[in-house]
Amino acid sequence: SALTQPASVSGSPGQSITISCTGTNNDVGGYNYVSWYQQHPGKAPKLMIYDVNKRPSGVSNRFSGSKSGNTASLTISGLQAEDEADYYCSSYADSSTLPYVFGTGTKVTVL
Amino acid sequence: QVQLVESGGGVVQPGGSLRLSCAASGFTFYNFGFHWVRQAPGKGLEWVAFILFDGTNKYYADSVKGRFTISRDNSRNTLYLQMSSLRAEDTAVYYCAKEKYFDVLTKFYSPLDSWGQGTLVTVSS
């Protein structure tokens, strides 16, 4: 089933925010295969973090990822207006029914 | 640069069929596996299907298994999703997405580093 994320997180420009992504031992906790995607309204998702804490080229170093146990986290530092978007985590899952699972999604609002 | 362009979406009646295409350019198509991911209106992302770089392995979400078929034509640099027995709950924007790397452990999972713009499928009478 879907990984659990908070429905919304907000912060002021320049602040740091963290989005959590909670799974189980069979997905987030069992593998270093967590990715994070940013999606602006009406647009396709964009890969921001992969393999827990790696950044694709071209992604700002204001975005960072980590994991502890069954919970992964995405931190956005120095929050900017253009960071306002939906964010989804994803993970490999040791499951024959749904081996690729996404999080429920978090709406980030820049106040 | 990498470009993925989906087509084939539209309105279809429940029980009907539709074939989506995803035309790729800007990279060596046959070296990469691909996924289809969908997003129902106002909802989150849902993984649908995966095909290995050479087409020999395919995986499906339980929600579409037996109704959807993923395939590819490496000579045409094109990915497909044949959808049949469509239901109202299949209504969504369908995205094709390219894997970032081949994972030797799972032979399946990869971050998705390039996505198409999506094509809307509406199942309604």
Side-chain angles (χ1 to χ4, degrees):
Chain A
S1 59
L3 307 175
T4 302
Q5 298 181 232
S8 63
V9 173
S10 62
S12 300
Q15 286 186 329
S16 293
I17 62 168
T18 297
I19 304 168
S20 62
C21 170
T22 301
T24 69
N25 287 335
N26 289 329
D27 40 61
V28 173
Y31 307 91
N32 288 325
Y33 287 143
V34 177
S35 296
W36 289 90
Y37 299 90
Q38 176 193 64
Q39 187 180 34
H40 288 107
K43 301 295 187 182
K46 175 186 175 184
L47 180 65
M48 305 300 285
I49 294 288
Y50 68 99
D51 295 354
V52 177
N53 56 15
K54 298 176 183 175
R55 255 188 329 271
S57 70
V59 171
S60 170
N61 59 9
R62 298 185 298 104
F63 291 84
S64 61
S66 63
K67 191 185 84 167
S68 177
N70 294 339
T71 299
S73 299
L74 173 71
T75 297
I76 308 175
S77 58
L79 200 61
Q80 299 180 1
E82 64 257 33
D83 300 332
E84 184 162 298
D86 293 325
Y87 291 82
Y88 295 91
C89 60
S90 77
S91 174
Y92 171 73
D94 185 10
S95 165
S96 61
T97 59
L98 191 64
Y100 202 118
V101 62
F102 284 96
T104 50
T106 298
K107 168 68 176 176
V108 168
T109 301
V110 181
L111 302 171
Chain B
Q1 75 276 18
V2 173
Q3 192 168 13
L4 300 172
V5 179
E6 300 98 335
S7 60
V11 180
V12 60
Q13 291 189 338
S17 298
L18 210 56
R19 188 178 83 157
L20 306 183
S21 299
C22 171
S25 59
F27 63 99
T28 307
F29 181 78
Y30 58 76
N31 281 347
F32 294 93
F34 287 87
H35 298 253
W36 286 98
V37 176
R38 68 184 180 183
Q39 187 170 34
K43 302 297 184 181
L45 301 173
E46 179 188 12
W47 175 77
V48 173
F50 164 79
I51 187 166
L52 197 59
F53 64 94
D54 58 2
T56 56
N57 273 339
K58 305 173 185 180
Y59 299 93
Y60 301 92
D62 261 16
S63 57
V64 306
K65 200 173 293 183
R67 300 188 299 122
F68 289 13
T69 301
I70 188 172
S71 62
R72 62 190 296 161
D73 185 340
N74 285 348
S75 67
R76 296 178 182 268
N77 289 355
T78 303
L79 174 75
Y80 303 100
L81 185 68
Q82 178 68 48
M83 305 184 294
S84 60
S85 302
L86 282 162
R87 307 165 180 166
E89 54 264 36
D90 296 318
T91 294
V93 173
Y94 285 74
Y95 296 99
C96 63
K98 170 187 159 293
E99 68 176 10
K100 182 172 177 56
Y101 57 65
F102 173 74
D103 179 65
V104 295
L105 176 63
T106 66
K107 297 180 176 55
F108 157 72
Y109 178 81
S110 173
L112 305 179
D113 67 351
S114 297
W115 297 61
Q117 84 288 352
T119 187
L120 177 61
V121 172
T122 302
V123 183
S124 173
S125 54

